[in-house]
């Protein structure tokens, strides 16, 4: 019994130490660095026009990428669970590729696919608009790195869904569209919401894929993560920390909302 208690205590202590060293202390360090010179310099840093535009641009493009992933992820998750076709397992395994692939490689792939020397990039130039080094390329990069979140969030819900409710709806004369929106969709909604919020939070922090395709033009295509990197290179750690606090606080709020959605789903 004593050995079991010591083993349990050691295991829990190791987990808590890991959590404190790798998560809690860095977060405290960012907040401390942001306010190390007081509230005045912090406020000046976050209200700097370049910083403010970078944060607003990041939020705007993250919202667009999240909406795209919400729609595509729901459809792809539905197809992967409800249909059987050749190559389904391969497609299902490729969903997790953005998690395994370095984001810089993903950015290079987008650059080669949509750049000026590519077929798609050349076609876009002929039509009078550009993709790479403009906002569309940033959205594509954000969609790529956040692609799996919605899909993986709704797949377990579809697998656990009681098909008797769906069959009962058909038996009562409901159409496929009505059955989907009144029976199936409410069961999928918690996964869609939680996956979308995680995708949004991830898009806010993306750096590797975006830095290669954005152009990083201040006030136009400079997003928050790249702005923070530039401030670090300029030896303005307080300014970088202040902008990081904005993104970190927003991510905390998103994670709290995800936890709330999952808790309500578990209570039901």
């Amino acid at each position: 019994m004593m050995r079991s208690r010591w083993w349990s205590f050691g295991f829990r202590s190791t987990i808590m130490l890991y959590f404190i060293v790798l998560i809690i202390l860095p977060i405290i360090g960012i907040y401390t660095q942001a306010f190390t010179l007081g509230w005045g310099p912090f406020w000046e840093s976050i209200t700097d026009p370049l910083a403010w535009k970078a944060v607003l641009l990041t939020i705007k493009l993250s919202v667009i990428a999240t909406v795209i992933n919400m729609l595509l992820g729901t459809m792809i998750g539905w197809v992967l669970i409800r249909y059987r076709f050749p190559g389904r397992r391969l497609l299902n395994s490729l969903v997790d590729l953005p998690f395994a692939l370095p984001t810089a490689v993903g950015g290079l792939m987008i650059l080669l696919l949509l750049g000026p020397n590519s077929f798609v990039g050349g076609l876009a130039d002929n039509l009078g608009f550009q993709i790479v080094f403009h906002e569309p390329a940033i959205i594509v990069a954000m969609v790529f790195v956040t692609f799996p979140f919605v899909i993986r969030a709704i797949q377990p819900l579809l697998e656990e869904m009681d098909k008797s409710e769906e069959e009962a709806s058909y038996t009562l004369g409901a159409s496929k569209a009505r059955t989907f929106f009144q029976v199936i969709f409410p069961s999928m909604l918690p996964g869609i919401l939680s996956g979308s919020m995680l995708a949004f939070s991830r898009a806010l922090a993306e750096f590797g894929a975006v830095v290669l395709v954005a152009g990083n033009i201040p006030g136009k295509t400079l997003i928050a993560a790249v702005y923070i990197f530039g401030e670090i290179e300029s030896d303005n750690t307080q300014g970088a920390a202040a902008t990081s606090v904005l993104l970190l606080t927003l991510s905390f709020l998103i994670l709290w909302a995800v936890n709330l959605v999952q808790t309500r789903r578990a209570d039901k």
Side-chain angles (χ1 to χ4, degrees), residues 58-206:
T58 304
I59 294 175
K60 182 186 76 172
L61 299 184
S62 297
V63 169
I64 296 174
T66 301
V67 172
I68 294 174
N69 266 330
M70 184 185 299
L71 299 175
L72 291 179
T74 302
M75 291 187 290
I76 294 173
W78 173 268
V79 169
L80 291 176
I81 294 299
R82 289 301 184 101
Y83 295 93
R84 298 293 182 269
F85 53 90
R88 171 179 165 273
R89 291 185 177 179
L90 176 61
L91 180 60
N92 189 51
S93 63
L94 289 177
V95 168
D96 294 323
L97 183 62
F99 286 155
L101 196 68
T103 54
V105 177
L108 180 60
M109 291 168 54
I110 296 171
L111 185 63
L112 295 177
L113 178 64
L114 304 178
N117 297 325
S118 67
F119 172 77
V120 178
L123 183 61
D125 285 339
N126 293 333
L127 295 176
F129 65 93
Q130 295 180 334
I131 301 176
V132 174
F133 308 135
H134 292 77
E135 291 184 6
I138 302 176
I139 295 173
V140 171
M142 289 181 172
V143 169
F144 175 78
V145 298
T146 61
F147 180 69
F149 284 102
V150 176
I151 299 174
R152 293 310 188 207
I154 67 172
Q155 280 184 322
L157 300 181
L158 290 173
E159 291 174 347
E160 297 171 0
M161 189 179 299
D162 187 1
K163 292 187 178 181
S164 61
E165 297 180 3
E166 185 178 350
E167 294 171 355
S169 177
Y170 292 138
T171 302
L172 294 174
S175 63
K176 290 185 177 181
R178 186 174 182 182
T179 299
F180 176 81
F181 285 107
Q182 293 188 355
V183 178
I184 301 175
F185 185 74
S187 299
M188 298 169 55
L189 186 58
I192 296 174
L193 292 177
S194 60
S196 298
M197 287 185 286
L198 289 173
F200 177 73
S201 181
R202 177 68 181 84
L204 285 176
E206 179 50 34

Side-chain angles (χ1 to χ4, degrees), residues 211-228:
V211 70
L212 295 178
V213 300
N216 308 318
I217 303 173
K220 294 183 178 180
T221 61
L222 182 66
I223 65 168
V226 181
Y227 172 82
I228 292 170

